[in-house]
Amino acid sequence: MSKNPEILTPEGLPPLADKPGVSFIMPVLNEAEHIAKAITTILAQDYDGDKEVVLALGPSTDDTNAIIADMAAQDSRIQTVDNPDAATPIGLNLAIAVTRHPVIIRVDAHSGLNPEYTRQAIDTLRETGAANCGGLMLARGTTSFQKAVARAYTSPVGLGGPAYHSGDEAGEAESAYLGVYRREVFDHLGGFDEGIKRGQDWELNLRIRTSGGRIWFNPDMEVTYWPRDSWSKIGQQFWATGIWRAELIRRYGSANSLRYFAPPLLVLGMGASVIEALLQITGRTKAWPKFLRRFTSLVHVPSLGYISGILATASAAEDCGRRERAWFGLILPTMHLCWGAGFLRGLVTGAGSTKDGSR
């Protein structure tokens, strides 16, 4: 690692060459449906500099690795490393270790890069002095279900928060979707924390900012994202994400945004409302003083308000059929409640070895 504490600052980073080589890194596990398309968008980038693609192969049980082997045999720019643990941060670090270019671009098998993405990223790094930059995640779907999930991703009522979901103006950011990194980040900071199975990108960006580096959001850098394609997979994904966000809060406390506490508070409020309703239905509250019954009944107000808000949001959804609208109304609380429940679990017990079981 570099001993220069100022290396990641805009002033400390060395100038980029006119057309620096770029290394794309991707951890892969059970992505037979998407992997060929993802690699194709990488190789089709409208960028004249040297390119290489390094894929960290987990122990897939579908045809993922066979597809990659076939593509690698036809294009020498594609190479692979084994990632037997199938852990994302380990795979990313294994891929980084064999890259050779000054700019490292993280990509995902569920994503497709806009043809100008790489060129725009290089220009952004050069013009802003950023150590890492990212763009806008454009969630898309092919089925009614997937389209509803994509709508939830981009809705202020859905994920909200980060600029890469909502499409804010260009500027400094807390984190970046995927990420286009200067190699100096890894030389200086040593890579992704392999003990963090989800949210490792946020943690690395925190270290970058703590070291004086700049994270930049450029909405012109567009990435198409294909969400999970079943209700159970969405639930598993957000459950694991909530657990790991709680772990990050256990570790880094106030460095996290207060918005992360909204879903767990929702779960607690809904739980209290359900308990109160059961007590009312079984007649347990009849023996309580009248003022106490009125007071405890107020626990239903936030829950009813939330349900009304979800129904109103789904009803107001534009440019979609009834099936997509119905899924949208179901996906929103699935994301919120699974994330919030996972968060509460993780806050109490920590993340341990929790993995995303949706792949």
Side-chain angles (χ1 to χ4, degrees):
M1 296 186 209
S2 169
K3 295 183 179 180
N4 179 2
E6 306 296 325
I7 187 63
L8 298 184
T9 65
E11 299 76 22
L13 285 168
L16 281 172
D18 183 45
K19 296 289 184 181
V22 295
S23 301
F24 298 88
I25 59 172
M26 183 196 301
V28 182
L29 178 68
N30 292 330
E31 296 290 359
E33 181 180 355
H34 300 285
I35 188 62
K37 184 186 297 184
I39 295 174
T40 299
T41 68
I42 294 171
L43 298 177
Q45 288 291 287
D46 182 16
Y47 180 70
D48 295 333
D50 291 337
K51 308 183 198 65
E52 65 177 351
V53 184
V54 183
L55 305 161
L57 305 186
S60 295
T61 55
D62 60 12
D63 293 332
T64 297
N65 292 357
I67 294 170
I68 292 172
D70 183 61
M71 297 185 76
Q74 300 177 50
D75 195 317
S76 60
R77 293 174 295 178
I78 303 172
Q79 57 182 307
T80 63
V81 293
D82 289 330
N83 180 25
D85 290 333
T88 296
I90 294 176
L92 290 169
N93 287 340
L94 288 170
I96 291 166
V98 300
T99 59
R100 56 192 176 87
H101 293 309
V103 175
I104 298 175
I105 303 179
R106 179 179 174 178
V107 285
D108 185 85
H110 276 251
S111 66
L113 305 181
N114 180 293
E116 299 180 340
Y117 182 87
T118 300
R119 179 168 51 80
Q120 292 170 332
I122 297 299
D123 289 344
T124 299
L125 291 177
R126 181 181 291 111
E127 293 167 6
T128 65
N132 179 26
C133 68
L136 189 61
M137 187 186 83
L138 298 176
R140 296 286 185 266
T142 54
T143 64
S144 295
F145 175 84
Q146 227 181 13
K147 290 177 181 178
V149 176
R151 186 179 292 271
Y153 264 79
T154 56
S155 169
V157 181
L159 294 187
Y164 55 78
H165 288 309
S166 55
D168 292 344
E169 295 182 357
E172 290 195 52
E174 173 187 359
S175 189
Y177 175 55
L178 298 178
V180 179
Y181 299 88
R182 294 288 301 264
R183 175 170 289 279
E184 288 81 1
V185 167
F186 304 104
D187 293 340
H188 179 63
L189 300 179
F192 293 92
D193 186 330
E194 296 183 357
I196 301 176
K197 307 306 180 186
R198 292 189 67 81
Q200 64 279 339
D201 50 349
W202 180 90
E203 187 276 337
L204 177 57
N205 282 309
L206 174 63
R207 282 188 280 146
I208 291 173
R209 289 186 285 111
T210 301
S211 300
R214 178 178 291 168
I215 315 297
W216 197 267
F217 169 69
N218 180 358
D220 293 332
M221 294 168 54
E222 297 182 349
V223 182
T224 300
Y225 173 77
W226 303 97
R228 303 295 190 268
D229 57 5
S230 75
W231 189 29
S232 63
K233 289 181 179 180
I234 292 296
Q236 291 170 342
Q237 178 187 7
F238 278 82
W239 165 260
T241 302
I243 288 176
W244 277 103
R245 175 50 59 183
E247 177 67 26
L248 291 173
I249 285 177
R250 285 164 61 106
R251 297 188 188 194
Y252 303 105
S254 60
N256 293 267
S257 171
L258 289 175
R259 71 174 182 270
Y260 296 126
F261 290 90
L265 288 175
L266 170 65
V267 171
L268 292 175
M270 295 288 281
S273 183
V274 170
I275 292 172
E276 172 70 10
L278 291 174
L279 291 173
Q280 290 173 335
I281 292 171
T282 58
R284 299 292 182 86
T285 61
K286 290 182 179 179
W288 296 357
K290 190 173 183 180
F291 78 90
L292 183 59
R293 293 201 305 271
R294 288 180 175 176
F295 178 76
T296 57
S297 293
L298 293 177
V299 75
H300 296 307
V301 174
S303 296
L304 292 173
Y306 173 76
I307 293 171
S308 298
I310 292 296
L311 292 174
T313 300
S315 298
E318 299 178 349
D319 302 322
C320 65
R322 277 183 285 184
R323 187 176 179 84
E324 180 182 335
R325 184 177 285 108
W327 273 122
F328 180 50
L330 185 60
I331 288 299
L332 286 172
T334 298
M335 288 179 169
H336 297 157
L337 296 175
C338 288
W339 199 102
F343 181 97
L344 292 172
R345 185 285 181 89
L347 201 61
V348 173
T349 66
S353 60
T354 300
K355 294 183 179 181
D356 179 5
S358 65
R359 293 184 297 169

